[in-house]
Amino acid sequence: MPRFIDGHDMKDLTPDKLEKLANSPPDKFGVTHIELFYNKEEDRLYCILDAPNEEAIWKHHESAGLKCEFITEVQQIKTDKMIKSEKMIVLGEMSSRVSHDLRNPLSIIKNSLDLINMRYKDEMDKEMTDYVRRMDRAVSSINVMIGDIVNFAKTRPLMLENNSLLSTIHRVLDSVHTPDNIKIKIPQKDISFEFDLIKLEILFSNLITNAIHAIGEREGEISIKFDEIDHYNVQIQIADSGPGVPEELLPRIFEPLFTTKQYGTGLGLPSCKSIIEQHNGTISISNNPTTVTILLPKHQSVISAIKPDANQ
Ligand SMILES: Nc1ncnc2c1ncn2[C@@H]1O[C@H](COP(=O)(O)OP(=O)(O)OP(=O)(O)O)[C@@H](O)[C@H]1O
Ligand SMILES: [Mg+2]
């Protein structure tokens, strides 16, 4: 619908006419008031309206008994900020619909897996038990992800426990399908510290999936490293032999909904960033080779004691 601005000399406008103007729904001419602005020095009211054409606005004024000084058609120029906030509104609506639609079939899968586990436990060989376990974990992570999308702005507080980084990586590698052309290197030595296990599983699952996508069909390698860089911090690095992120896109990849993939949602890295920030850490990406570097404090409960709002 085209957008217009018109101007009214306030001498012509009584308070009840103004109220009518401000709150009128689309009238019989299809005119809707979007916003009203008053200029005190000019004693003039400017209205932003949507209407099928200029003639409809003249007719609208005529039927309401309003005098109008000018009408001009304008085109809205959207700033990046506006586009982003529009995307966020769409995302909010989409997420509540998706979560509603996905939770039911997911609980059917979860119940069926529980039944298989109960009824056929003794008949299943190790391989089968392993498949069922992987499916069960995958369903749990999907459930968490749905929860995170729904609460995008308001993520749940961390559930902190002493966990092993190496077994977290193993669990993720169990549930992510790694194609044969990609080798994954993981550290020998483990580090255990306080973190939210489910959230870090989501984080690694996102980063490893991104690395697998980046390598694509070529022969390649994903190398995961972690080090205790001092008494307080752990550094985790995930490097891949893929082509890297084009330099001009590097500043944008943590933006919600930014994706270069046909079927990507662009929520993976923003979700990783929010998980790491919730743990009071930092995350960054650099090229040559493509490396995600995460810095995580080892003692979350100490931080929570100093900063009571941390981990919320
Ligand atoms: N390891 C990587 N190598 C090259 N580009 C990457 C890598 N990781 C992320 N990117 C770039 O950053 C973009 C955003 O990543 P993000 O994980 O947020 O979304 P996505 O992977 O596109 O979609 P999804 O929501 O399915 O994760 C990707 O589309 C890709 O262009
Ligand atoms: Mg991704």
Side-chain angles (χ1 to χ4, degrees):
M1 177 89 69
R3 184 152 285 188
F4 297 86
I5 294 184
D6 72 5
H8 301 268
D9 190 329
M10 282 298 276
K11 281 191 246 16
D12 298 326
L13 284 166
T14 56
D16 58 315
K17 274 187 185 168
L18 195 59
E19 198 183 320
K20 218 165 136 191
L21 257 185
N23 296 317
S24 59
D27 67 359
K28 59 181 173 188
F29 307 107
V31 178
T32 317
H33 285 85
I34 308 297
E35 278 183 287
L36 304 182
F37 299 91
Y38 174 62
N39 182 303
K40 205 171 161 191
E41 274 162 31
E42 297 175 354
D43 195 25
R44 183 177 284 129
L45 183 78
Y46 293 91
C47 308
I48 299 177
L49 336 116
D50 278 348
N53 49 46
E54 195 177 317
E55 207 191 335
I57 305 176
W58 288 115
K59 282 186 186 156
H60 157 84
H61 289 145
E62 209 177 287
S63 76
L66 292 170
K67 267 193 205 152
C68 169
E69 292 174 295
F70 70 88
I71 302 173
T72 183
E73 186 169 348
V74 288
Q75 232 176 1
Q76 188 176 31
I77 297 168
K78 292 193 178 172
T79 60
D80 281 353
K81 210 171 157 190
M82 283 161 79
I83 295 169
K84 202 166 158 187
S85 81
E86 276 174 18
K87 278 184 173 180
M88 292 310 283
I89 293 168
V90 175
L91 174 64
E93 286 164 4
M94 194 175 81
S95 59
S96 51
R97 203 179 53 237
V98 169
S99 65
H100 177 265
D101 294 354
L102 279 185
R103 278 205 165 124
N104 289 342
L106 263 184
S107 66
I108 296 173
I109 300 176
K110 171 84 184 137
N111 292 344
S112 312
L113 285 172
D114 286 348
L115 274 176
I116 292 175
N117 254 332
M118 258 172 16
R119 288 215 191 133
Y120 303 102
K121 202 174 172 202
D122 300 333
E123 290 157 52
M124 286 193 293
D125 60 13
K126 193 182 161 300
E127 201 182 353
M128 193 67 185
T129 316
D130 211 42
Y131 286 142
V132 173
R133 192 174 46 90
R134 281 193 202 185
M135 285 194 272
D136 198 49
R137 272 200 204 133
V139 171
S140 311
S141 344
I142 297 173
N143 258 326
V144 175
M145 279 185 241
I146 291 173
D148 272 356
I149 295 174
V150 175
N151 301 311
F152 195 61
K154 192 172 86 47
T155 42
R156 69 160 170 77
L158 295 185
M159 291 190 297
L160 293 170
E161 261 181 80
N162 205 49
N163 289 300
S164 140
L165 209 46
L166 202 54
S167 42
T168 310
I169 305 265
H170 277 297
R171 284 162 72 97
V172 171
L173 290 175
D174 264 1
S175 63
V176 172
H177 170 71
T178 316
D180 293 339
N181 57 311
I182 299 177
K183 281 201 189 72
I184 303 203
K185 274 199 191 162
I186 47 175
Q188 303 283 322
K189 196 173 157 266
D190 191 18
I191 304 178
S192 287
F193 63 105
E194 273 182 332
F195 57 83
D196 187 310
L197 179 65
I198 294 176
K199 293 215 175 209
L200 251 59
E201 279 186 12
I202 293 173
L203 170 104
F204 288 124
S205 154
N206 269 312
L207 297 177
I208 293 168
T209 308
N210 277 351
I212 292 174
H213 286 164
I215 297 171
E217 315 253 290
R218 324 156 245 249
E219 292 292 314
E221 190 180 272
I222 299 171
S223 156
I224 303 170
K225 287 186 186 152
F226 38 79
D227 287 302
E228 286 179 86
I229 53 168
D230 53 37
H231 284 314
Y232 308 102
N233 294 292
V234 174
Q235 179 177 277
I236 305 167
Q237 288 192 306
I238 300 177
D240 68 69
S241 58
V245 187
E247 286 298 316
E248 70 279 11
L249 301 184
L250 267 176
R252 301 198 56 197
I253 54 171
F254 286 101
E255 273 177 25
L257 303 180
F258 176 79
T259 181
T260 53
K261 299 173 192 168
Q262 198 181 355
Y263 299 107
T265 65
L267 285 177
L269 288 179
S271 167
C272 293
K273 191 163 183 261
S274 102
I275 290 171
I276 292 301
E277 285 175 353
Q278 228 186 338
H279 282 83
N280 299 294
T282 57
I283 178 166
S284 56
I285 299 198
S286 56
N287 278 324
N288 304 315
T290 328
T291 308
V292 178
T293 304
I294 294 165
L295 213 59
L296 274 181
K298 276 168 63 186
H299 308 287
Q300 295 293 330
S301 13
V302 177
I303 294 177
S304 314
I306 307 168
K307 290 196 323 190
D309 288 340
N311 318 135
Q312 290 297 304

